Amino acid sequence: MEGYHPYPPKHLNLSDFTPNLLSETTILGTFAAASIVLFCLTWFLSGLSSKTTKFEKLVIFWMTFNGLVHLTLEFYLVFKPEFYKDKTGSILAEIWKLYSKSDSRYLSLDSTTIALEGISIFILGPANLLAAYATTTQKSYRYPLQLSVSLGDLYGFVIYVMTAFLGGESFSASPYYFYVYFIGFNSPWVFVPLLIIIRSWRKICKLEGTNKRKLH
Amino acid sequence: MEGYHPYPPKHLNLSDFTPNLLSETTILGTFAAASIVLFCLTWFLSGLSSKTTKFEKLVIFWMTFNGLVHLTLEFYLVFKPEFYKDKTGSILAEIWKLYSKSDSRYLSLDSTTIALEGISIFILGPANLLAAYATTTQKSYRYPLQLSVSLGDLYGFVIYVMTAFLGGESFSASPYYFYVYFIGFNSPWVFVPLLIIIRSWRKICKLEGTNKRKLH
């Protein structure tokens, strides 16, 4: 079936489309394994400072993980917007072929997706890594940076989800991909930034409170 | 000429389009007058507290002005998405007919514009007014709130501008509307949030610094 592909809408023209060469388990397993290695690494390294609390270690992991997702997985799209043609079985292309089944806008490259990815790659990616560094080294700007970066991620995510629904065309290949990938795998990008926003906000307010008490 | 309208792209279908009933000078004059009244009002009221600095007075004006723009001008779109049909000469409809000459996406109501306006109206609008209140009353959360609100406005604005260019279709009726309205009248939404972000960021870092010095 020439021109066949599993992505909605059906009129999407993807010439030279090559289906996933790796199985779903292999792709997800590789991603999970890389994430676990990163978790252990950041947990160990951030633990070298005796001041770092457990929650801060988790923040450091998230900022590093999220920064690297923006700077590797998403940055890849800049060089390979036609990843759906990939025949090499490269893990990044395979991840995008799979994820696009939950949101085909990565194939049609609509203007909102490009704008959001541009900000994610060039601003939020480096800013997340800087926030991980600032948190590890207890810089005085760590809380406003955590707050700003997480607000950026959350704002972008809200626009991403809203425009998917407002676009008027179906974007998921099936309810399975919609619930497991679009909803499930994306949900950390709501809850984690929200947690970091609340915590850094409270920390900043507490600073002001401590200051006031000391001045009076 | 039935179906005639000045907005690009030409294939945009705007049945029952009614041209601006007020002159450009009247529309801009009304907007400017309302803004000046608001400026005087916030300057006077925020001046009642002896603690308020001049810069803070400007922040209070901006947050009130910006909040009211989100909650009146933009909120109007929820009720009157077909403002281009308006025959009453209502100032809000007239402003949108005029501004749409610089960005016709308000007429075609594309998904990005709806998503951005939704966030502006229901989150950034109230948040701006709360920030004006928090700044006036020197609440301990004023700096993280100023930072968050201004980041939200700036992020939204960047997406708004990027998607206009990435959309691939012309969105301004002429270079005049593009430079004067799209670039000129929008530019405060870059510079003012940026200024507030930098200042609130510095204030937060200073709090942390003061705290550290006192602890040691």
Side-chain angles (χ1 to χ4, degrees):
Chain A
M1 281 192 291
E2 206 180 313
Y4 168 80
H5 64 73
Y7 307 100
K10 277 181 186 170
H11 59 77
L12 194 64
N13 182 21
L14 302 175
S15 55
D16 292 332
F17 164 68
T18 307
N20 267 121
L21 301 169
L22 303 175
S23 74
E24 193 173 349
T25 319
T26 309
I27 298 168
L28 295 183
T30 309
F31 187 80
S35 306
I36 292 168
V37 168
L38 187 69
F39 177 78
C40 296
L41 213 65
T42 54
W43 190 270
F44 171 73
L45 288 176
S46 59
L48 294 179
S49 155
S50 57
K51 279 182 184 171
T52 321
T53 65
K54 272 186 189 165
F55 192 96
E56 275 173 330
K57 283 185 184 184
L58 289 174
V59 171
I60 293 165
F61 162 65
W62 170 262
M63 296 286 185
T64 313
F65 167 77
N66 189 21
L68 289 178
V69 166
H70 290 324
L71 286 170
T72 57
L73 196 56
E74 296 171 47
F75 199 33
Y76 173 77
L77 291 172
V78 177
F79 300 104
K80 290 275 184 187
E82 297 192 324
F83 59 85
Y84 59 86
K85 293 180 179 179
D86 181 85
K87 286 180 174 61
T88 66
S90 118
I91 185 71
L92 296 176
E94 291 296 301
I95 289 174
W96 282 113
K97 283 181 195 174
L98 182 60
Y99 182 72
S100 296
K101 288 180 188 165
S102 85
D103 186 359
S104 62
R105 292 179 298 166
Y106 281 94
L107 294 157
S108 54
L109 282 176
D110 77 313
S111 53
T112 314
T113 313
I114 297 177
L116 290 172
E117 285 301 330
I119 294 178
S120 289
I121 295 165
F122 297 105
I123 299 176
L124 295 175
N128 264 286
L129 293 187
L130 183 62
Y133 164 78
T135 309
T136 312
T137 52
Q138 311 261 322
K139 293 276 184 256
S140 64
Y141 59 85
R142 67 192 183 283
Y143 296 128
L145 185 58
Q146 285 175 13
L147 179 66
S148 305
V149 167
S150 298
L151 272 169
D153 271 308
L154 188 65
Y155 192 113
F157 186 73
V158 170
I159 297 279
Y160 171 73
V161 172
M162 283 178 84
T163 48
F165 289 103
L166 288 165
E169 284 198 291
S170 68
F171 52 92
S172 282
S174 77
Y176 168 76
Y177 291 106
F178 176 73
Y179 287 109
V180 174
Y181 287 78
F182 193 79
I183 300 291
F185 288 167
N186 273 324
S187 59
W189 274 266
V190 177
F191 297 114
V192 182
L194 214 51
L195 263 178
I196 298 177
I197 289 167
I198 294 169
R199 183 172 170 274
S200 52
W201 183 288
R202 281 190 183 157
K203 288 279 181 185
I204 294 169
C205 292
K206 215 174 156 183
L207 282 179
E208 170 96 20
T210 322
N211 243 2
K212 269 194 184 155
R213 276 197 301 283
K214 284 184 181 159
L215 288 169
H216 292 295
Chain B
M1 283 193 289
E2 205 178 316
Y4 168 80
H5 64 73
Y7 306 100
K10 278 181 185 169
H11 59 77
L12 194 65
N13 182 21
L14 301 176
S15 54
D16 293 332
F17 164 67
T18 308
N20 268 120
L21 302 168
L22 303 175
S23 74
E24 194 173 347
T25 319
T26 311
I27 298 169
L28 294 184
T30 311
F31 187 79
S35 305
I36 292 168
V37 168
L38 186 70
F39 177 78
C40 296
L41 212 66
T42 53
W43 191 269
F44 171 73
L45 287 176
S46 59
L48 294 178
S49 157
S50 57
K51 280 183 186 171
T52 322
T53 64
K54 273 184 188 166
F55 192 96
E56 275 174 332
K57 283 184 180 182
L58 289 174
V59 171
I60 292 164
F61 162 66
W62 170 261
M63 296 286 186
T64 312
F65 167 78
N66 190 21
L68 289 178
V69 165
H70 290 325
L71 286 170
T72 56
L73 195 56
E74 295 172 46
F75 199 34
Y76 173 78
L77 291 173
V78 177
F79 299 105
K80 290 274 184 190
E82 295 190 326
F83 60 84
Y84 58 85
K85 293 181 180 177
D86 182 86
K87 287 182 173 56
T88 65
S90 119
I91 186 70
L92 296 178
E94 291 295 303
I95 288 175
W96 281 114
K97 283 181 195 174
L98 182 60
Y99 182 72
S100 296
K101 289 179 188 165
S102 85
D103 186 359
S104 62
R105 291 179 298 165
Y106 282 95
L107 294 157
S108 54
L109 281 176
D110 77 314
S111 53
T112 314
T113 313
I114 298 177
L116 290 173
E117 285 301 330
I119 294 178
S120 288
I121 295 165
F122 296 106
I123 298 176
L124 294 176
N128 264 286
L129 293 187
L130 183 63
Y133 164 78
T135 309
T136 312
T137 53
Q138 310 261 320
K139 293 275 184 255
S140 65
Y141 60 86
R142 67 191 183 284
Y143 296 127
L145 186 57
Q146 286 174 12
L147 178 65
S148 305
V149 167
S150 299
L151 272 170
D153 270 308
L154 188 64
Y155 192 114
F157 186 72
V158 171
I159 297 280
Y160 170 74
V161 172
M162 283 178 83
T163 49
F165 290 102
L166 288 166
E169 284 199 292
S170 68
F171 51 92
S172 282
S174 76
Y176 169 76
Y177 290 107
F178 175 73
Y179 287 108
V180 175
Y181 287 79
F182 192 80
I183 300 289
F185 289 166
N186 273 324
S187 59
W189 273 266
V190 177
F191 297 114
V192 183
L194 214 51
L195 263 178
I196 298 177
I197 288 167
I198 293 170
R199 184 172 170 274
S200 53
W201 182 287
R202 281 191 183 156
K203 288 280 183 187
I204 294 169
C205 290
K206 215 173 156 185
L207 283 178
E208 171 94 20
T210 322
N211 243 2
K212 269 195 184 156
R213 275 198 301 282
K214 284 181 181 160
L215 287 170
H216 290 295

